[in-house]
Each structure stands twice: as C-alpha cells, then as structure tokens.
Amino acid sequence: MTNRILKTTITATALAALVPLAAQAQPAEVIAGLHGEPDSLNPLYDTNLPALNIYYNVFDRLATIDGNGDVVPDLATSWSFNDTLDQWTFTLAEGMTCQDGAPMDSSDVKFTFDSAMGDSTSRLGGYLGLVDTVEAPSPTQVVINLKSAFAPFDRQVSLIPIVCQEAYEEMGKEAFGRKPIGSGPYQVTNWVSGDSIEMVRYDGFWGDAAKYDKVTFKPIPDETTRAAAVQSGDVDVALLGPAQVDGVKQQGSVDVVAQDANRVVFLGFNGGAPFLGDQKMRKAVDLSIDRTLISQRLLNGAATPTAQIIAPVTFGFDPTMEPTKADVEAAKALVQEAGYDGTPIKISYPTTGLPQIDQLAQAIAYFMDQIGVKTELDPMEQNTFYGNWFGKSFPGIFIFAFAPSVMDAHLPFYMLLAKDQQGYIYDDRIDTLMAKQVGENDAEARAADLAEISAINAERTIYAPLFIDSYIYGVSKDIDWSPRPDGMMVFR
C-alpha cells in the first residue's frame, strides 16, 4: 500500500510468492476516509452518521441489520415476543467480555437502556419512547416491556449500542466519549481531533476475530479531497460523490465499488400551498419528471428510478410497483384541469447532503417548465432546511430523502404519512393500515399492509419518489471490503 510499510517476516514473504494473488493475506492496517468527524464517541449522546461508523466496529447490539437488510443476532443469540407484541425476551450469548476485560451481560444492556431513557439530553433515548421497563432476570436474559405493540422492535434494538456499565461509571460520560469501552471486535486507542480516530483489534472479542490489526478513520468532509486521498493511497476506502466517479474510474489506481442504498430521494408537497392541494397538480409534477434521464445523465448511473419512498432493501418494499414514466402531454392536461394560473411554485432543497442537489433542483424546475408550471428555486443551508421540515413550513415543493437505519418501512411511513407527523397530506386508510401493521406478528401479512400504504401514496401522489441512491466508494485494490446499504463503514 502506498506510503505504508507492512511488518512481514521473510518466511511470510516467501510463501506469498507461492500462492495466487487473490489468496494473499489482507494488509494489517486500513485507513478509511470518513465524511465527517464525530462530536463524541458516547453512543448515548452522539447518534450522527460519523459516530455511527465508529460504533458499528466498537460496540455490539442485541440484534443488528446485515448487508441484506435482514435482522440477525448480535449479543442476543435468540429472542421471542408475546402474542400482543409488547414484551420481548432476548437470550444473550455466554462468555462475552468488555474491552477492559470485565464481563458483558444483561446488566450492561439494562444499564444502557435505562441510562438513555432516564436522561432527557440523551439522543439515544429518542429511539426508546415505546419502552416501559427493562428487566435483567439473569445474566443471559433481558426482558423489555413496551407501552404498546411494536412489530419491528427487534430491528429497533439495532439502534442501541450497548456500553459497558463498569467502565462508563468509572470514566464518566465525557471521558467515555473520547475513548469508549465496548464489547465489539475493535477498541478505540487514540483520537486526535481533526485528524484521526484509531482502533485496534480486540483479541478478547467473543465472536469472529476482526479482519485487521488496526483501522484508522480520517475525517475528510470534502468529496474532491476524499477522492484525491484514495487515489493517492493516503486512505484505502472513501465514499465518492457522483461527480468524482468517472474520474476515479479513468485514473484506475483503485477499484470503484457501488452499493444500492437504503436511501430514497423524493419530492414532497405542501398540500396547503396554492394548487398543490389538488391531486391532479401533484400528479402532473410527478408525470413531468424523466427519472431515467436524471439517473443516467445527471447522476452517472448512480441511482435507480423508483415508485416508492422506501428502497428494495427495506422491509415492506413492493417489487411489483413500477416507477412513473414521464408523460408531458398527460401532465399538461392535468395542469389545465387543475386551473393553474401561472403563479410560481417554490422548490425548496438543502444545499448539501444530497447527490448533485443543485443540478437536481434545476432539472426538476426544467421538467415542470416543460408542462407550463413556473418555479422558483429555494436553496437552504442544511440546518435551515431541517428546521423547515420539522416545522412543516415549506412554501411549496421540497426535495428530501429518507434512509431508515433499521431498514423497515415503519419509520419513514410513520414520519412522512401518518396524521399529525411531518407530512402535509393525509389519508385515513394509511392511519388504519399503520395501526394494523405495527401489531401484526405475521411477517407476510405485515409486508402486505406496508405495500398497500405505498400503493395509496402512488394513487394520491402524496410524495413523488424519484430514485434510489447509491453509495459508491474508491477502494484500494489490495483491500477485500464490501459496502453496506446503510453507508456504514464496517470492518468486522
């Protein structure tokens, strides 16, 4: 690897010459370019994406989501629930230890849940609003009592990294946030703010040994700088922006690896704004958009047109639904039927965080112009945009995205479509189906309920789904690493 000397013995070097290249050992160290730097490494208080990349390598959870979007065991080897889905029992593996050598058992799980729920400033506690009490009747058993039925609770616990109680209480939350102690395969050894976070293999890990001796995360917020860093060998793995992909491919020094994401980009409509309360007008906008052109030309093939606000990897996705095909003439007819009078409609969007967002907003405006609808672009700094989203104060159309970490349709449907949440347009049928699916213990029946919700959204054009995003990485040729749909850099 460029700018790196690997410690190998003469014997190992000689043996490497006798085996095929693909069979040779992985490098001992990996450096990953992270798109931002955490504020803290305390999972109770920092739940932002940069920190989550560290947590996936350092902490364990009761259950986790794998690269296919399925919920699988982690600390818990199995779990069960009662008929009313409001009591969940998790059975833990035996012989687990924290990275300081202390035992890891049900008391650490209870401590993590209770600490998050008992502190109003804990961001982790926001994921546990349905939890009533947590019991630890034995070292290998955790019983979680909910306030009401919640079918995807096994997925919800994947959001909760389990901290080691003894170390947390001894260190305090601030010190723990700089050098946390978990039970995962890597242990944080050093954090130099603005430069790097270093992790080494924890040899006492109860599961499969970590792949690398050492993993270093370097915060590199700028896409162009990340692309240059991976091409030069300063880092081994880096997320690329759509604008960098072709250049990195042509340069050829690293592999370019793509992964369909759990994130869907869509248009939302303020149904209280002029004309947008009319379903015909919303459908006209939907029909005006050439999703294939956006995917192939604007995003260099790094996106897939879609008909749903959830991605295929998300539970509840309906593979039978087809994306809306552009039909300018049909859209023009609907605009006329809606009585549109030429008043400009604002298109609000965040200036960062979404792929080629300025160009995407301009493309949407162009498509709408082709059907006779005037627009006004309304770019916003990201924090301002989120403030408008939470405040439900967009003046017209807005471009947004949702990527449910638990890869289940409940959260995006609840936040975007349920009455009195973050949406502007409601349908009583959706609220009925939401109440039904959350108490449904048959997975197929629940999936059918969620698919029906997607069909209602398409029928009424409550949202206009645009495309499924992709995560594209530059990866050093001597690294065997696979990306995940949630964009987390995991080196287990």
Side-chain angles (χ1 to χ4, degrees):
M1 299 168 66
T2 306
N3 300 326
R4 191 171 311 151
I5 300 175
L6 299 179
K7 296 178 179 179
T8 55
T9 65
I10 295 175
T11 302
T13 304
L15 287 174
L18 301 177
V19 298
L21 181 62
Q24 292 185 23
Q26 288 281 296
E29 178 182 352
V30 169
I31 301 177
L34 197 57
H35 66 277
E37 183 170 24
D39 295 321
S40 168
L41 293 180
N42 186 334
L44 272 68
Y45 298 99
D46 190 347
T47 57
N48 291 321
L49 289 175
L52 293 181
N53 282 273
I54 310 299
Y55 300 161
Y56 266 88
N57 295 281
V58 173
F59 296 97
D60 293 310
R61 299 151 176 76
L62 287 173
T64 192
I65 309 298
D66 69 12
N68 298 315
D70 297 321
V71 58
V72 296
D74 199 4
L75 287 175
T77 58
S78 63
W79 53 88
S80 59
F81 46 81
N82 62 1
D83 290 341
T84 51
L85 289 171
D86 58 3
Q87 184 180 78
W88 292 69
T89 301
F90 295 85
T91 300
L92 309 187
E94 297 183 358
M96 300 180 295
T97 62
C98 296
Q99 292 155 357
D100 60 357
M104 159 66 78
D105 59 26
S106 62
S107 63
D108 299 286
V109 177
K110 177 175 170 56
F111 172 78
T112 301
F113 276 70
D114 287 347
S115 298
M117 294 188 296
D119 185 346
S120 61
T121 66
S122 169
R123 297 184 66 176
L124 196 65
Y127 299 136
L128 299 173
L130 275 175
V131 176
D132 186 15
T133 60
V134 179
E135 304 168 23
S138 77
T140 58
Q141 191 173 68
V142 177
V143 179
I144 302 178
N145 301 295
L146 306 183
K147 299 171 185 175
S148 60
F150 193 63
F153 188 67
D154 52 350
R155 290 176 176 271
Q156 192 74 4
V157 298
S158 72
L159 298 171
I160 313 300
I162 304 303
V163 303
C164 293
Q165 178 178 1
E166 183 178 319
Y168 194 96
E169 291 181 326
E170 180 180 330
M171 298 170 69
K173 65 181 183 181
E174 298 298 334
F176 190 90
R178 294 297 300 183
K179 200 173 182 180
I181 299 295
S183 60
Y186 292 98
Q187 181 174 1
V188 174
T189 54
N190 193 37
W191 179 5
V192 179
S193 296
D195 180 72
S196 62
I197 297 172
E198 296 178 355
M199 308 184 304
V200 298
R201 179 190 289 120
Y202 169 50
D203 291 328
F205 179 56
W206 57 275
D208 293 336
K211 186 180 293 187
Y212 301 101
D213 293 343
K214 181 178 180 182
V215 176
T216 302
F217 284 95
K218 297 184 72 67
I220 309 175
D222 182 70
E223 291 181 348
T224 302
T225 306
R226 280 202 307 273
V230 74
Q231 290 180 99
S232 68
D234 289 338
V235 302
D236 302 299
V237 182
L239 180 66
L240 304 176
Q244 281 73 48
V245 172
D246 282 348
V248 174
K249 284 182 178 179
Q250 292 171 10
Q251 201 255 11
S253 62
V254 297
D255 292 329
V256 175
V257 181
Q259 168 67 56
D260 287 342
N262 63 338
R263 184 167 76 165
V264 173
V265 179
F266 56 84
L267 296 185
F269 303 92
N270 180 348
F275 305 106
L276 295 178
D278 190 327
Q279 182 175 318
K280 293 178 180 179
M281 190 66 170
R282 299 195 302 271
K283 189 60 180 176
V285 175
D286 184 41
L287 285 167
S288 76
I289 300 166
D290 189 332
R291 290 161 172 80
T292 301
L293 190 64
I294 289 174
S295 172
Q296 298 301 320
R297 296 285 295 277
L298 178 61
L299 298 174
N300 297 317
T304 304
T306 188
Q308 299 168 69
I309 56 175
I310 56 172
V313 74
T314 300
F315 182 83
F317 180 84
D318 182 357
T320 68
M321 293 182 66
E322 295 291 334
T324 301
K325 293 184 179 180
D327 189 332
V328 172
E329 294 307 315
K332 286 180 178 179
L334 288 171
V335 170
Q336 188 172 8
E337 290 177 27
Y340 175 66
D341 65 1
T343 301
I345 296 176
K346 282 192 174 183
I347 302 175
S348 303
Y349 60 94
T351 53
T352 57
L354 295 179
Q356 301 288 83
I357 183 59
D358 288 314
Q359 295 90 334
L360 176 61
Q362 292 165 17
I364 300 300
Y366 168 79
F367 293 135
M368 291 176 64
D369 180 70
Q370 298 305 295
I371 62 170
V373 178
K374 296 180 180 179
T375 60
E376 179 183 337
L377 295 182
D378 183 31
M380 299 179 182
E381 189 272 334
Q382 192 172 54
N383 288 337
T384 302
F385 181 89
Y386 281 120
N388 277 272
W389 187 69
F390 282 111
K392 297 172 66 171
S393 54
F394 290 120
I397 294 173
F398 57 97
I399 306 174
F400 200 32
F402 212 109
S405 299
V406 299
M407 298 188 216
D408 186 276
H410 174 81
L411 182 61
F413 284 3
Y414 176 73
M415 295 203 70
L416 297 173
L417 293 165
K419 192 168 292 183
D420 300 324
Q421 294 303 311
Q422 297 308 125
Y424 295 86
I425 302 163
Y426 307 114
D427 191 299
D428 289 339
R429 294 173 295 171
I430 289 178
D431 288 302
T432 300
L433 286 164
M434 286 295 291
K436 181 185 175 189
Q437 62 85 23
V438 80
E440 180 61 74
N441 59 21
D442 180 88
E444 289 187 8
R446 182 168 177 260
D449 292 338
L450 295 170
E452 191 172 345
I453 292 172
S454 288
I456 294 170
N457 176 68
E459 170 198 323
R460 296 197 56 200
T461 319
I462 299 173
Y463 294 91
L466 297 178
F467 56 84
I468 302 157
D469 202 0
S470 291
Y471 295 121
I472 302 180
Y473 298 85
V475 182
S476 293
K477 292 183 180 294
D478 52 358
I479 296 294
D480 179 18
W481 177 82
S482 298
R484 291 170 50 94
D486 57 9
M488 295 298 110
M489 291 187 177
V490 180
F491 296 96
R492 287 176 175 248

